Amino acid sequence: MSDPSEPPAADATDPPPPGAAPARVSAVVVAYGPEEWLERSVLALLDSVGVDVDVVLVDNGGTGPIVDELARRERVQLIRTGDNVGFATGCNLGAAANDLPFIALVNPDAVVAPDALAELVAVAREPGVGLATASVRLAEHPDRLNSAGNIVHFLGLSWSGYFDELAADHPERREVTSASGAGLLCRREVWDQLGGFCDEFFAYCEDADLSLRSWLQGWPVVYVPSAVVTHRYEFSRNPVKYRLLERNRVIMTVSCFGPRHLLVIAPLLIALEAGTLLLAVMQGWWREKFAGYWWLLRHVSWLRRRRRAVQSTRARSERELAVLFNAHLDPANLELPAAVAPVDRLLAGYWRLARRLL
């Protein structure tokens, strides 16, 4: 039993008293393959001001001797997975490596500004906040955005929000649908209650899935414009990536969307699958598309269990959360076929009407 004469212990949501020690942050960096910015990324985290940072470097393989050099530095912990376990599992392993009150996820090709983590902590420590997401900038043009919070379409597609727009045009803190996995931070109790990333995702869409689950539990995702992270961004195109993007979109949609939402968009989801399958055939990655279908068929029971588990945490109604979803397909970081434009106008009109049924 605690001594009533002693003050209660501080927790992560308590504002720091004057002269208090800086908040302690566990910064997780998952590395796979050669990455020329990895050293810069880790050193920038260690040089953060206003917070005390321990870096957990998760080596998924193929990284070379640089990880050993970094591991010799004070406050860097190296975890070798022995294989490429994926970004999602790598982040989960890194987050579980210690019990510090705040967890940050930073890409190995991203460099935080000195005060970025402190700015994210200041927002994430507020009791009502779930995830705090940074102003992620393009390395080639650091005055322009890679992401100011990511977008999720009402059909489950997601993309970088406000891509290539001037950061100065987005100066206000605001609630956004999804955090960017390139630079996000949360309290440990939030991460633990959400269960971290879904291991089965492997890579891609895990940040959107985590964000939607945060919103479902009543924890908003907040964009913090003063927390600047520079990202060496490149949207690579390869068949495996398309397979994971498509498969994970289905997992996220089936798990996180409410029953009425799924019901009103069911015809459009069928049309979307037909359209993406046609695109896969035209672009030559149809085998990967079918591999995604095969994975989903073999994991139907798991997907049902996951949906039940996610929906059981719902603290906000479908109508309340409908405003989170974008009506238009307008990803600035992707070039869509010209035929999408007229379809997009129809989709947006459909969603305006369908939202009234939620």
Side-chain angles (χ1 to χ4, degrees):
M1 182 178 294
S2 62
D3 185 345
S5 65
E6 295 180 355
D11 64 26
T13 63
D14 292 330
R24 298 198 63 190
V25 178
S26 176
V28 179
V29 179
V30 178
Y32 172 67
E35 176 51 66
E36 63 182 83
W37 274 37
L38 178 59
E39 183 176 19
R40 293 178 61 186
S41 178
V42 172
L43 296 184
L45 288 166
L46 293 174
D47 288 340
S48 294
V49 299
V51 290
D52 285 338
V53 179
D54 285 9
V55 174
V56 182
L57 178 56
V58 181
D59 180 10
N60 266 350
T63 50
I66 185 62
V67 294
D68 295 306
E69 296 174 19
L70 291 170
R72 287 193 286 269
R73 291 183 174 269
E74 187 178 0
R75 306 191 82 165
V76 175
Q77 177 182 357
L78 177 61
I79 297 177
R80 294 190 188 278
T81 61
D83 194 7
N84 182 15
V85 298
F87 180 74
T89 297
C91 287
N92 289 338
L93 291 172
N98 58 49
D99 60 356
L100 297 186
F102 294 96
I103 298 171
L105 305 181
V106 178
N107 274 11
D109 56 357
V111 175
V112 299
D115 62 347
L117 295 187
E119 294 291 327
L120 290 171
V121 164
V123 174
R125 78 185 321 146
E126 297 175 15
V129 172
L131 309 176
T133 189
S135 175
V136 184
R137 311 288 183 84
L138 294 169
E140 300 84 353
H141 304 285
D143 61 332
R144 307 190 79 87
L145 290 165
N146 178 176
S147 172
N150 288 347
I151 306 296
V152 180
H153 189 262
F154 73 89
L155 292 179
L157 299 159
S158 61
W159 58 87
S160 297
Y162 314 99
F163 182 85
D164 204 30
E165 296 185 20
L166 286 170
D169 292 341
H170 300 272
E172 303 295 329
R173 163 181 165 168
R174 66 175 182 272
E175 295 181 352
V176 294
T177 305
S178 173
S180 167
L184 69 84
L185 185 145
C186 65
R187 303 191 308 276
R188 179 167 294 276
E189 60 263 32
V190 171
W191 178 266
D192 289 344
Q193 185 157 329
L194 292 176
F197 286 148
C198 176
D199 288 321
E200 283 77 7
F201 274 53
F202 191 82
Y204 309 118
C205 296
E206 66 285 311
D207 47 6
D209 178 80
L210 182 77
S211 298
L212 291 183
R213 289 187 283 119
S214 183
W215 276 106
L216 278 172
Q217 295 195 31
W219 283 326
V221 180
V222 179
Y223 166 63
V224 185
S226 56
V228 176
V229 176
T230 303
H231 187 207
R232 189 166 169 262
Y233 174 82
E234 179 182 1
F235 184 85
S236 60
R237 289 171 169 82
N238 63 76
V240 174
K241 179 170 183 175
Y242 282 127
R243 168 169 57 85
L244 293 172
L245 282 170
E246 283 294 291
R247 186 200 68 176
N248 294 350
R249 170 180 61 82
V250 174
I251 296 173
M252 180 185 74
T253 301
V254 170
S255 300
C256 298
F257 285 10
R260 291 185 180 181
H261 188 160
L262 286 176
L263 181 62
V264 299
I265 68 171
L268 299 182
L269 287 178
I270 295 171
L272 176 62
E273 285 304 317
T276 54
L277 181 56
L278 176 61
L279 186 65
V281 171
M282 294 172 61
Q283 294 184 347
W285 50 277
W286 58 271
R287 290 181 180 85
E288 298 294 337
K289 180 65 174 170
F290 277 106
Y293 285 146
W294 178 237
W295 189 97
L296 291 167
L297 284 172
R298 289 186 292 112
H299 292 82
V300 166
S301 296
W302 170 82
L303 191 55
R304 287 173 178 163
R305 292 194 301 273
R306 184 173 197 260
R307 173 173 173 78
R308 286 196 296 269
V310 171
Q311 292 298 314
S312 70
T313 69
R314 178 180 290 276
R316 294 198 177 187
S317 70
E318 294 182 74
R319 182 180 292 273
E320 287 178 300
L321 297 183
V323 296
L324 297 175
F325 299 106
N326 214 46
H328 288 282
L329 287 168
D330 52 6
N333 59 324
L334 294 173
E335 185 176 348
L336 298 179
V340 170
V343 174
D344 176 60
R345 290 192 288 272
L346 293 174
L347 290 176
Y350 183 94
W351 181 238
R352 283 194 293 269
L353 295 174
R355 279 178 53 181
R356 300 176 184 177
L357 301 176
L358 299 182

